[in-house]
Amino acid sequence: MQNFIIKFYKVCLSFSLLVYSFTLVSCAKPNYQDSPDIQKQSQLKQTQNCSIRFQKQTDLCIQMQWTQLQNPDQMGRFNFYIYQINDPKTPLDIKQSITIKLSMPSMTHDSRPVIITKLADLHFDANKIWFSMSGLWQIHFLIDSNDEAKDEAIVEYTY
Amino acid sequence: MNILISLFLIIASPICVYASACCGGGLSLPSLIAGDQKAQIALGYSQINPDTDVLASGVWQKHKGSEYTRQLKLEGAKILSDPWQMGLGLGLEQRNISGDAGGTSSGLGDSNISLAYENLPEWDYNPYKPKGQLFLNLVIPTGRSIYDDPSQNSLDSHGRGFWSISLGQYLSKIIFNWDTFALLEVHHSFERSFQSTLSNYDLKPGNGLSWGFGAGYNIQNWRIGSSFIWNYEDPIESSQNSSASLQRWASLQTSLAYLLENDQTLSLSYSNQLLFGSPLNTTLNQIVTFNYQKRWMR
């Protein structure tokens, strides 16, 4: 029994030394990349023809533009408005408040609700946007419309 | 001399919290009595500085903004009756994000309770045979997690948010002036439901694994040592999210310890998570820990 333990320990020790040697030469390989320019992403969204649609009411479109990028002194902020693609000037009958949540799919994190203020008909200000770490985030726009279940539009951002 | 080194071996054991990812929490390993003591207590103070975020795609980005976390951890272990021992760990945490959008938040971190069994006793002077301890560790989510955090910037999260149980094997051996250890641990974190004003769904954190090894060289009352711990966590799955990614990271720790008396030790350690392995979907930290330990001999 003791011989077995000694042999087992020798094997473990050899394996550990092998792995240790391996790890010494297998240093981490940093793949640093600058984060994308959110302002440019935002402008790109403005120039495209309805890149953000709701999942159920596919004729509903969102346009958004960042007014304040997140920095240590300020939370992020953006304006957005919702319109019908075929009839942009007709106000929509959105009964209840619009809500926005931020989520980080890779970490399964959710954030607290974003503060939304109505600026004009279907034109809103979204404030207190905070991404707690770098990575791919989703901005979920949720509306209650015509007594149906919540409809959702999702925008992806890499912070 | 071996008695002196065996006292040092205790501080070689992985009593630290290996913080990872954003917003509190991280792997917690139990406090173990590896020497000839009947009880020990340790007070550790750590400062954790996030350096780099590694995305799920493998891309590295310097952590934006300036923030740090400070942890105060009280750990104790006691021999129940040979070969059994139990341990307890409690933590306080303070998180700080600088700037007008940040702030400071303090709270209880996650706690742990452990039971260990000496399955490979070291009763003879065999030059090869290590001392082995099998341990069971229960992590209690006493710290508020990011899922329960009402703050807008996730500042109030100080724990991982899941009950977790782990089974591990710890091996230690003194060879001349060297002390060595190896560790293998697997854990399972339990499913929980998550409710907020916007969401209501179940979170399934799955399993995790950590393994590591280390060694230290002892000169009189001083010990200098180094250890390497590799960690893996399953993706946290939910019904609302099919894009969750696994997490992995590796920590290299170097430490300097001084034996004040036969029953007291001071140590200073530095841990860096940027140097080794192939990290994924995590925040890589640099951690400085100051530790004081008091022991009661048999």
Side-chain angles (χ1 to χ4, degrees), chain A residues 1-3 5-10 12-13 15-36 38 70-76 99-115 127-138 140 142 150 152 156 158-159, chain B residues 21-23 51-67 97-102 120 124 126-130 146-154 171 173 175 180 182 194 196-199 201 203 211 213 226 228 236-238 240-241 243-245 247 252 274-279 281-283:
Chain A
M1 182 62 183
Q2 190 162 332
N3 285 341
I5 291 171
I6 290 169
K7 281 181 184 172
F8 176 74
Y9 182 60
K10 280 181 176 175
C12 287
L13 192 65
F15 177 73
S16 296
L17 287 171
L18 189 71
V19 173
Y20 194 51
S21 310
F22 174 73
T23 50
L24 282 177
V25 294
S26 66
C27 297
K29 298 176 179 62
N31 176 22
Y32 280 106
Q33 289 181 17
D34 291 333
S35 55
I38 292 177
Q70 177 183 325
N71 65 55
D73 290 325
Q74 284 179 303
M75 294 193 178
T99 50
I100 294 176
K101 75 167 183 177
L102 313 175
S103 71
M104 189 177 197
S106 68
M107 302 291 287
T108 319
H109 283 172
D110 270 7
S111 72
R112 301 309 102 195
V114 169
I115 307 299
N127 195 8
K128 294 193 182 289
I129 313 282
W130 187 263
F131 303 108
S132 52
M133 66 182 292
S134 306
L136 181 68
W137 284 80
Q138 290 181 338
H140 300 253
L142 300 142
K150 279 187 176 175
E152 187 176 31
E156 290 195 336
T158 301
Y159 172 67
Chain B
C22 107
C23 323
D51 185 281
T52 296
D53 293 329
V54 182
L55 314 191
S57 60
V59 168
W60 292 38
Q61 288 185 357
K62 278 286 174 190
H63 190 78
K64 297 180 181 78
S66 175
E67 66 178 88
I97 300 176
S98 62
D100 292 343
L120 283 175
D124 52 26
N126 190 299
Y128 301 109
K129 185 183 161 191
I146 191 169
Y147 308 109
D148 311 295
D149 182 358
S151 68
Q152 208 72 30
N153 53 8
S154 305
L171 297 173
K173 184 68 187 171
I175 305 166
T180 60
F194 162 65
S196 76
T197 52
L198 295 175
S199 313
Y201 49 83
L203 295 166
W211 66 271
F213 45 84
S226 184
F228 178 86
I236 300 173
E237 294 177 349
S238 83
Q240 305 280 312
N241 176 25
S243 311
S245 169
Q247 285 181 275
L252 179 74
L274 290 105
L275 300 174
F276 292 105
S278 177
N281 195 33
T282 188
T283 298

Side-chain angles (χ1 to χ4, degrees), chain B residues 46 57 116 124 128 160 168 191 202 208 223 243 251 263 270 294:
Chain B
S46 302
S57 60
D124 52 26
Y128 301 109
R160 189 163 176 258
E191 183 179 334
D202 291 333
R223 175 191 183 269
S243 311
S251 299
D263 63 348
Y270 168 72
K294 161 87 176 161

Side-chain angles (χ1 to χ4, degrees), chain B residues 128-165:
Chain B
Y128 301 109
K129 185 183 161 191
K131 182 174 189 170
Q133 288 162 307
L134 196 66
F135 63 84
L136 201 62
N137 187 40
L138 178 72
V139 176
I140 305 160
T142 44
R144 176 185 277 160
S145 75
I146 191 169
Y147 308 109
D148 311 295
D149 182 358
S151 68
Q152 208 72 30
N153 53 8
S154 305
L155 189 63
D156 292 336
S157 55
H158 300 287
R160 189 163 176 258
F162 300 103
W163 286 85
S164 163
I165 191 156

